[in-house]
Amino acid sequence: MSKYLNIALALGSSIILFSSCEKFLDTAPQGKYTEDNYPYPEGGSTYDQYIFPAYNDLRSYSVHVDGFVNATSIRSDDADKGSTASDGGADVIAMDNFPVLPSSGRANSLWLGYYGLINKTNRAIHLMDSVQNPNQDEAMKIQTEAEAKFIRGYSYFMLVRLFGSVPKFDKWFEDPASQNNIPQSTAGEIYAFIEEDLKFAAQNLPDVWDRQYIGRATKGAANGILAKVYLTQKKWQPAYDAANMVRGSGLYDLSQSYAEIFSEKGENGKESVFEIQGTASADQQTANGIQYANLQGVRGSGNWNLGWGWNVPSPVLEAAYEAGDPRKARTILYSSTTATKHFSLFNEQMPVYPSEVPNPMYNHKVLSDPALRNSISRGSWWMNIRILRYADIVLMMSEAANELGRTDEARTLLNEVRERARRGAATGVLPNVTNTDQAGLRDKIRHERRIELAMEHDRFFDLVRWGTAQTALHAAGKTNFQNSRDVLLPIPQAQIDITKGVLKQNPGY
């Protein structure tokens, strides 16, 4: 596959229409372009040089790897830390079992990662406004500004869900220290700012990009994240409308099989709305990729030394699947036992638990193609991250329609996702939902979100916005969780100290 033979400018977000074999053709190495050496390719924009650093940061360790996986997945009832008992130390164990301490290095890393990303988007907007460029029309500048505001809006959406009230930086500070005097805005003020950014992005981004720019933010990505922003605030009609903009574009569908979506072949397919891009080659095994899959890879030896073995499916997730649901096999990768051999989707015999690997289950959605592992590395840094899929869009529409009292429409949308899930399964598996009452259908939609999006970083945030986090987490054995404290991470003590107390700690810490 040419993706892995040519190091690419994996720009880091959504797109559709092309297979992963094509997505990196005719592109340049990630991070190669700077303000000094940008070559202005035909069809490109001289403003691209300002936005590329922000795209590049989407792949960074502090944005979408360690802290991200811990805070969005390991904190939920669907996943446990995995690996050995002591691996990661008290900091990561606290992410799994609560409470996370204000001294948490991972909380601080997330804070720095997303604010670093925001700083790059603000700098991009500042430079575009400051530089007179007679060779580019105003429309191109506005489009690039829309990319910056999409990334900024997404970053603040992560921050407000992780930390609650956070400082709002809507301009670039040449002197970073000057940011230390800005107090936190309320969560409501941050959400209003996010909505403003994403609405601007949705209005001014293209539906699709030329092939050489695959991976850049699109109108569908902006509307899709905006729908989730509205859903989080229980703004049901705006959430429905934003999701329906994605659906109505006709650019996305559920034609990909569930098994294919998470493979290299399934990257940037018809279901991809927002996808962080990674690539690698035998010569550049990590420099242009993401450590996301490596963090979660099977922790074994030899050919099964694939990673840290973190973020493993939990027993309660395993028990949540309906009988015969094919999505279970694509989500949970079982280790073999002395009595039973288990195999990966690539028909690889799995090592034995507990003599050869420390965990009975691993995340099957991040398992890479063994042919690429053999030709590049076992680290799998080329694997993309699916941030937003079309199935999520359909389920958001279903949830919003149900809360608006349109149960027939909500049920039809829900059954679209179930129909795709059961393709090829035995007769009678995953039958259509028939509930006609709002409360019963609400439970079905919530269950479907859990199963369809398992291990994809929505579960913890869903539990919090539904108000069911404490019940669910206690049932999963995470009994230290307290609603009054743990729905948010602590404001990092390091940041409170830097600001000399301008930042205030969240309740309960």
Side-chain angles (χ1 to χ4, degrees):
M1 294 175 68
S2 56
K3 167 184 173 182
Y4 306 102
L5 302 178
N6 299 286
I7 307 285
L9 172 67
L11 289 173
S13 53
S14 72
I15 199 61
I16 54 171
L17 301 180
F18 300 106
S19 73
S20 63
C21 295
E22 298 175 300
K23 75 171 181 174
F24 294 122
L25 291 174
D26 305 320
T27 55
Q30 294 171 350
K32 174 180 177 181
Y33 295 156
T34 69
E35 294 163 37
D36 297 324
N37 68 10
Y38 184 72
Y40 312 122
E42 182 179 356
S45 163
T46 54
Y47 295 113
D48 285 350
Q49 61 186 304
Y50 305 131
I51 193 60
F52 280 4
Y55 275 117
N56 192 58
D57 243 23
L58 286 169
R59 300 181 296 108
S60 75
Y61 186 83
S62 58
V63 172
H64 279 127
V65 184
D66 187 351
F68 174 76
V69 171
N70 273 275
T72 64
S73 191
I74 291 174
R75 279 200 300 166
S76 80
D77 58 338
D78 279 358
D80 294 312
K81 177 183 72 68
S83 186
T84 59
S86 61
D87 187 28
D91 194 31
V92 68
I93 293 171
M95 282 281 187
D96 194 7
N97 296 326
F98 303 96
V100 179
L101 300 179
S103 59
S104 169
R106 285 172 174 82
N108 192 49
S109 178
L110 285 165
W111 183 281
L112 293 173
Y114 284 108
Y115 272 116
L117 193 52
I118 288 165
N119 191 53
K120 285 182 172 63
T121 60
N122 284 337
R123 185 172 186 269
I125 293 169
H126 168 79
L127 290 172
M128 287 187 288
D129 287 340
S130 302
V131 176
Q132 298 299 315
N133 189 344
N135 298 319
Q136 292 289 336
D137 60 29
E138 186 68 12
M140 189 66 75
K141 176 182 175 182
I142 291 173
Q143 179 177 280
T144 311
E145 182 181 350
E147 293 181 84
K149 289 186 174 180
F150 168 78
I151 297 173
R152 186 173 71 181
Y154 170 73
S155 299
Y156 270 115
F157 186 39
M158 289 299 302
L159 283 169
V160 74
R161 290 185 295 171
L162 290 168
F163 297 102
S165 297
V166 295
K168 182 181 73 176
F169 303 141
D170 58 0
K171 63 180 180 179
W172 181 56
F173 293 83
E174 188 171 1
D175 176 16
S178 60
Q179 299 175 88
N180 295 338
N181 297 319
I182 298 178
Q184 289 139 294
S185 296
T186 66
E189 290 168 335
I190 296 296
Y191 274 113
F193 186 58
I194 294 168
E195 291 173 19
E196 181 182 335
D197 268 359
L198 292 177
K199 284 189 284 189
F200 181 91
Q203 184 176 356
N204 294 289
L205 285 171
D207 290 317
V208 295
W209 287 85
D210 290 341
R211 174 180 166 195
Q212 64 179 326
Y213 298 115
I214 194 167
R216 297 177 77 157
T218 62
K219 191 179 296 292
N223 277 317
I225 298 296
L226 183 59
K228 191 163 289 190
V229 169
Y230 286 136
L231 203 75
T232 301
Q233 301 173 84
K234 296 180 170 59
K235 295 182 177 180
W236 305 118
Q237 189 63 55
Y240 178 91
D241 292 342
N244 198 31
M245 290 293 290
V246 183
R247 183 177 176 84
S249 72
L251 295 171
Y252 312 90
D253 61 38
L254 297 172
S255 58
Q256 286 184 280
S257 72
Y258 195 81
E260 181 185 76
I261 292 168
F262 309 99
S263 69
E264 290 91 345
K265 291 180 180 179
E267 292 177 349
N268 301 309
K270 289 287 286 184
E271 190 165 342
S272 175
V273 183
F274 180 30
E275 194 162 318
I276 309 300
Q277 309 289 317
T279 190
S281 71
D283 294 330
Q284 296 287 342
Q285 297 178 2
T286 62
N288 306 302
I290 318 168
Q291 200 175 352
Y292 174 79
N294 177 250
L295 184 91
Q296 304 171 72
V298 175
R299 186 184 180 97
S301 60
N303 289 335
W304 286 106
N305 179 21
L306 304 185
W308 300 9
W310 287 13
N311 195 40
V312 298
S314 69
V316 292
L317 173 62
E318 180 187 24
Y321 286 86
E322 296 169 63
D325 190 334
R327 292 173 294 189
K328 183 177 183 180
R330 189 61 178 97
T331 304
I332 300 177
L333 178 63
Y334 286 96
S335 301
S336 295
T337 68
T338 53
T340 306
K341 296 178 181 177
H342 289 286
F343 296 84
S344 76
L345 76 157
F346 299 106
N347 204 34
E348 305 165 281
Q349 184 174 321
M350 296 300 298
V352 175
Y353 165 79
S355 60
E356 297 174 348
V357 289
N359 303 111
M361 296 180 286
Y362 292 92
N363 184 357
H364 212 164
K365 289 182 176 179
V366 299
L367 184 67
S368 60
D369 188 328
L372 295 171
R373 282 184 251 137
N374 290 334
S375 62
I376 300 176
S377 75
R378 291 192 295 272
S380 306
W381 285 53
W382 58 85
M383 297 286 283
N384 285 3
I385 307 175
R386 282 74 171 167
I387 298 296
L388 182 62
R389 297 194 284 115
Y390 182 62
D392 193 355
I393 298 293
V394 176
L395 289 172
M396 285 194 285
M397 283 186 68
S398 177
E399 182 174 349
N402 188 56
E403 297 302 330
L404 291 166
R406 304 202 293 264
T407 53
D408 288 347
E409 181 183 8
R411 187 175 57 253
T412 298
L413 289 163
L414 172 62
N415 285 328
E416 284 185 18
V417 176
R418 290 176 67 82
E419 189 280 327
R420 190 271 297 278
R422 66 175 175 257
R423 287 177 203 161
T427 302
V429 168
L430 296 179
N432 279 348
V433 169
T434 58
N435 294 69
T436 58
D437 63 299
Q438 186 186 55
L441 191 54
R442 180 184 294 123
D443 290 340
K444 295 291 187 181
I445 292 167
R446 291 179 177 183
H447 170 79
E448 201 67 26
R449 281 192 65 81
R450 179 184 200 177
I451 298 302
E452 174 69 24
L453 304 173
M455 309 298 290
E456 294 182 54
H457 312 290
D458 277 289
R459 177 65 175 172
F460 184 84
F461 295 137
D462 280 348
L463 291 174
V464 170
R465 67 183 180 85
W466 292 333
T468 59
Q470 183 161 308
T471 299
L473 289 164
H474 283 201
K478 301 186 180 190
T479 55
N480 290 332
F481 180 92
Q482 297 178 16
N483 254 339
S484 59
R485 178 192 62 204
D486 297 311
V487 294
L488 296 173
L489 291 173
I491 304 298
Q493 187 62 45
Q495 302 307 314
I496 294 175
D497 293 344
I498 288 171
T499 65
K500 295 181 169 53
V502 172
L503 296 182
K504 305 303 181 186
Q505 187 54 269
N506 282 328
Y509 292 103

